[in-house]
mmCIF file of all heavy atoms in Angstrom:
data_model
loop_
_atom_site.group_PDB
_atom_site.id
_atom_site.type_symbol
_atom_site.label_atom_id
_atom_site.label_comp_id
_atom_site.label_asym_id
_atom_site.label_seq_id
_atom_site.Cartn_x
_atom_site.Cartn_y
_atom_site.Cartn_z
ATOM 1 N N GLU A 9 116.694 67.006 79.023
ATOM 2 C CA GLU A 9 116.090 68.340 78.978
ATOM 3 C C GLU A 9 116.899 69.317 79.822
ATOM 4 O O GLU A 9 117.463 68.939 80.847
ATOM 5 C CB GLU A 9 114.664 68.285 79.522
ATOM 6 C CG GLU A 9 113.729 67.527 78.611
ATOM 7 C CD GLU A 9 112.304 67.579 79.124
ATOM 8 O OE1 GLU A 9 111.923 68.594 79.740
ATOM 9 O OE2 GLU A 9 111.603 66.603 78.902
ATOM 10 N N PRO A 10 116.962 70.571 79.392
ATOM 11 C CA PRO A 10 117.674 71.558 80.207
ATOM 12 C C PRO A 10 116.945 71.770 81.527
ATOM 13 O O PRO A 10 115.728 71.574 81.604
ATOM 14 C CB PRO A 10 117.643 72.829 79.352
ATOM 15 C CG PRO A 10 116.516 72.624 78.420
ATOM 16 C CD PRO A 10 116.376 71.142 78.211
ATOM 17 N N PRO A 11 117.677 72.145 82.586
ATOM 18 C CA PRO A 11 117.013 72.364 83.876
ATOM 19 C C PRO A 11 116.013 73.513 83.774
ATOM 20 O O PRO A 11 116.200 74.453 83.006
ATOM 21 C CB PRO A 11 118.157 72.722 84.818
ATOM 22 C CG PRO A 11 119.280 73.141 83.946
ATOM 23 C CD PRO A 11 119.099 72.439 82.631
ATOM 24 N N ALA A 12 114.930 73.407 84.542
ATOM 25 C CA ALA A 12 113.909 74.459 84.551
ATOM 26 C C ALA A 12 114.498 75.743 85.138
ATOM 27 O O ALA A 12 115.355 75.694 86.007
ATOM 28 C CB ALA A 12 112.716 74.004 85.384
ATOM 29 N N LYS A 13 114.031 76.860 84.622
ATOM 30 C CA LYS A 13 114.507 78.127 85.157
ATOM 31 C C LYS A 13 113.982 78.296 86.573
ATOM 32 O O LYS A 13 112.836 77.984 86.859
ATOM 33 C CB LYS A 13 114.031 79.289 84.289
ATOM 34 C CG LYS A 13 114.704 79.322 82.953
ATOM 35 C CD LYS A 13 114.363 80.584 82.213
ATOM 36 C CE LYS A 13 115.097 80.594 80.883
ATOM 37 N NZ LYS A 13 114.913 81.836 80.172
ATOM 38 N N ARG A 14 114.838 78.767 87.423
ATOM 39 C CA ARG A 14 114.455 78.961 88.812
ATOM 40 C C ARG A 14 114.418 80.440 89.143
ATOM 41 O O ARG A 14 115.180 81.228 88.605
ATOM 42 C CB ARG A 14 115.467 78.281 89.738
ATOM 43 C CG ARG A 14 115.489 76.799 89.601
ATOM 44 C CD ARG A 14 116.440 76.202 90.589
ATOM 45 N NE ARG A 14 116.577 74.788 90.329
ATOM 46 C CZ ARG A 14 117.433 74.013 90.934
ATOM 47 N NH1 ARG A 14 118.244 74.522 91.836
ATOM 48 N NH2 ARG A 14 117.496 72.746 90.651
ATOM 49 N N ARG A 15 113.529 80.775 90.054
ATOM 50 C CA ARG A 15 113.434 82.142 90.526
ATOM 51 C C ARG A 15 114.578 82.384 91.498
ATOM 52 O O ARG A 15 114.840 81.579 92.376
ATOM 53 C CB ARG A 15 112.097 82.366 91.230
ATOM 54 C CG ARG A 15 111.878 83.797 91.610
ATOM 55 C CD ARG A 15 110.429 84.046 91.961
ATOM 56 N NE ARG A 15 109.542 83.831 90.823
ATOM 57 C CZ ARG A 15 109.382 84.700 89.838
ATOM 58 N NH1 ARG A 15 110.028 85.821 89.822
ATOM 59 N NH2 ARG A 15 108.560 84.444 88.842
ATOM 60 N N LYS A 16 115.283 83.464 91.312
ATOM 61 C CA LYS A 16 116.388 83.810 92.195
ATOM 62 C C LYS A 16 115.848 84.061 93.601
ATOM 63 O O LYS A 16 114.813 84.685 93.777
ATOM 64 C CB LYS A 16 117.065 85.078 91.668
ATOM 65 C CG LYS A 16 118.274 85.490 92.452
ATOM 66 C CD LYS A 16 118.894 86.729 91.854
ATOM 67 C CE LYS A 16 120.029 87.218 92.711
ATOM 68 N NZ LYS A 16 120.582 88.469 92.226
ATOM 69 N N ARG A 17 116.535 83.566 94.591
ATOM 70 C CA ARG A 17 116.108 83.769 95.979
ATOM 71 C C ARG A 17 116.550 85.148 96.440
ATOM 72 O O ARG A 17 117.663 85.564 96.196
ATOM 73 C CB ARG A 17 116.724 82.719 96.883
ATOM 74 C CG ARG A 17 116.307 81.332 96.487
ATOM 75 C CD ARG A 17 115.921 80.546 97.686
ATOM 76 N NE ARG A 17 115.628 79.190 97.315
ATOM 77 C CZ ARG A 17 114.407 78.716 97.215
ATOM 78 N NH1 ARG A 17 113.385 79.479 97.477
ATOM 79 N NH2 ARG A 17 114.195 77.477 96.867
ATOM 80 N N HIS A 18 115.645 85.836 97.099
ATOM 81 C CA HIS A 18 115.925 87.171 97.601
ATOM 82 C C HIS A 18 115.738 87.177 99.109
ATOM 83 O O HIS A 18 114.880 86.475 99.634
ATOM 84 C CB HIS A 18 114.960 88.198 97.001
ATOM 85 C CG HIS A 18 115.090 88.348 95.529
ATOM 86 N ND1 HIS A 18 116.119 89.025 94.937
ATOM 87 C CD2 HIS A 18 114.327 87.888 94.519
ATOM 88 C CE1 HIS A 18 115.974 88.994 93.629
ATOM 89 N NE2 HIS A 18 114.893 88.295 93.351
ATOM 90 N N HIS A 19 116.527 87.985 99.798
ATOM 91 C CA HIS A 19 116.293 88.162 101.227
ATOM 92 C C HIS A 19 115.042 89.027 101.357
ATOM 93 O O HIS A 19 114.908 90.046 100.679
ATOM 94 C CB HIS A 19 117.480 88.834 101.910
ATOM 95 C CG HIS A 19 117.350 88.827 103.389
ATOM 96 N ND1 HIS A 19 116.606 89.754 104.069
ATOM 97 C CD2 HIS A 19 117.840 87.976 104.316
ATOM 98 C CE1 HIS A 19 116.653 89.496 105.358
ATOM 99 N NE2 HIS A 19 117.392 88.411 105.536
ATOM 100 N N PRO A 20 114.100 88.626 102.221
ATOM 101 C CA PRO A 20 112.836 89.367 102.337
ATOM 102 C C PRO A 20 112.995 90.860 102.608
ATOM 103 O O PRO A 20 112.254 91.675 102.066
ATOM 104 C CB PRO A 20 112.139 88.678 103.505
ATOM 105 C CG PRO A 20 112.706 87.305 103.534
ATOM 106 C CD PRO A 20 114.116 87.442 103.066
ATOM 107 N N LYS A 21 113.970 91.230 103.417
ATOM 108 C CA LYS A 21 114.145 92.649 103.759
ATOM 109 C C LYS A 21 114.656 93.467 102.577
ATOM 110 O O LYS A 21 114.559 94.683 102.576
ATOM 111 C CB LYS A 21 115.113 92.793 104.933
ATOM 112 C CG LYS A 21 114.559 92.308 106.244
ATOM 113 C CD LYS A 21 113.843 93.427 106.918
ATOM 114 C CE LYS A 21 113.420 92.980 108.302
ATOM 115 N NZ LYS A 21 112.952 94.032 109.115
#
Side-chain angles (χ1 to χ4, degrees):
E9 291 184 32
K13 290 188 178 185
R14 295 183 187 173
R15 186 165 296 282
K16 183 179 175 185
R17 299 225 185 257
H18 296 284
H19 189 278
K21 290 271 186 169

